[in-house]
Amino acid sequence: MQLNQARILLTGASGGLGTTLAQSLADAGAALLLCGRDLVGVEAINLPEYCEHQLVAADLTQTSGIENTVAAAQKFGVNVLINNAGVSAFGLLEQQAWMDVERILSTNLGAPVRLTQALLPWLQARPEAAVVNIGSTFGSIPFAGFTAYSAAKAGLRGFSQALRRELADSTVRVMHICPRAIDTPINSPVVKALNKALGSATDSPEDVAQHVLNVLSGNINESHIGFPERFFAWLNGFAPGLVDQGLKGKLATIKQYASKA
Ligand SMILES: NC(=O)c1ccc[n+]([C@@H]2O[C@H](COP(=O)([O-])OP(=O)(O)OC[C@H]3O[C@@H](n4cnc5c(N)ncnc54)[C@H](OP(=O)(O)O)[C@@H]3O)[C@@H](O)[C@H]2O)c1
């Protein structure tokens, strides 16, 4: 897809990855409809003057938020949807409030499925269209301390693959991109300390944004960022028992940090 002809709805535009992605897409010549719950964060994004853009305020876990976003997307003439909004919470499942678990499932899985479904007839009527789902390494290598988040992102992976197969005879391309840790506010100081203790690599939002642009303008639809994460995602697919064994050694450290979360 040629980015200078794309008209993109980007959710989670006020976040760490979303802000950087908006700037990179604008630099590449895309027109942007930027979505966030709180427009103050979205308004603060430094976009070049030539970038055609509009803002839409929406909580995507609410019916009204989905309806307002779809109406704004149709008015703007969107042909690309990037489902980037997300939330996380680190902690052992038994110690998490159901409200937090539900918020993680509805924001990371329910909202992108619902927004995509509502926008699909519109996208299918465009000559060229795309849906880009921002998943996570944890959707392919489910991780202790992130059970609800891993479940939601694994669900998003299944949704992306099934939808791609369902739309194989249409003009809509479905992409699924799985970053490893990114240096953004979604990760609390405890999670950043855990990543350091576990030796987990962290990417900059700029590098991940560039990866998203490469996928959008290329022809690969399923992409994991980073090695060895890509290898372990593959291994978990056919020998999850081996990955269980490998990750068991990290459990004591994860529990130690979970007690501080
Ligand atoms: N950072 C990482 O380590 C990492 C790793 C792998 C994948 N990811 C994925 O990358 C994506 C971007 O995350 P990030 O790191 O940029 O996180 P972030 O800085 O916390 O930003 C999250 C964004 O999602 C929006 N959002 C949250 N709940 C929403 C709702 N109910 N309705 C509408 N928007 C909502 C936030 O908007 P408000 O400003 O209104 O809260 C914010 O713009 C997420 O899908 C995340 O799962 C992140």
Side-chain angles (χ1 to χ4, degrees), residues 37-121:
R37 276 180 304 191
D38 175 10
L39 285 190
V40 175
V42 186
E43 278 162 359
I45 303 175
N46 192 12
L47 294 174
E49 264 190 21
Y50 58 79
C51 175
E52 181 190 345
H53 65 280
Q54 281 177 20
L55 315 182
V56 54
D59 180 339
L60 296 171
T61 60
Q62 304 299 314
T63 300
S64 60
I66 297 287
E67 287 171 353
N68 291 346
T69 306
V70 169
Q74 293 178 348
K75 205 168 161 207
F76 192 72
V78 155
N79 71 330
V80 178
L81 164 62
I82 303 184
N83 284 309
N84 167 70
V87 290
S88 184
F90 169 57
L92 303 181
L93 182 64
E94 68 198 50
Q95 289 164 3
Q96 286 181 320
W98 173 249
M99 219 173 66
D100 290 333
V101 173
E102 202 173 33
R103 185 173 54 92
I104 291 168
L105 296 174
S106 63
T107 310
N108 295 302
L109 180 58
V113 171
R114 196 171 179 192
L115 182 58
T116 305
Q117 186 198 33
L119 207 53
L120 208 46

Side-chain angles (χ1 to χ4, degrees), residues 151-171:
K153 291 295 188 179
L156 190 65
R157 176 165 58 92
F159 171 67
S160 306
Q161 295 178 355
L163 187 68
R164 182 182 311 133
R165 291 161 193 172
E166 194 166 297
L167 296 176
D169 60 356
S170 81
T171 56

Side-chain angles (χ1 to χ4, degrees), residues 164-249:
R164 182 182 311 133
R165 291 161 193 172
E166 194 166 297
L167 296 176
D169 60 356
S170 81
T171 56
V172 186
R173 184 178 158 209
V174 180
M175 286 153 266
H176 175 231
I177 299 171
C178 306
R180 57 185 177 185
I182 317 168
D183 187 11
T184 71
I186 204 173
N187 295 317
S188 65
V190 174
V191 171
K192 288 183 182 175
L194 171 70
N195 285 340
K196 206 169 167 191
L198 294 176
S200 305
T202 299
D203 293 315
S204 70
E206 288 76 16
D207 284 349
V208 177
Q210 185 54 54
H211 187 93
V212 174
L213 262 70
N214 293 346
V215 170
L216 247 177
S217 51
N219 52 20
I220 290 172
N221 292 325
E222 195 71 33
S223 169
H224 279 90
I225 300 178
F227 188 87
E229 290 80 1
R230 201 177 305 128
F231 168 74
F232 283 113
W234 170 79
L235 184 65
N236 196 69
F238 81 91
L242 284 180
V243 179
D244 288 350
Q245 286 307 314
L247 291 181
K248 205 171 171 185

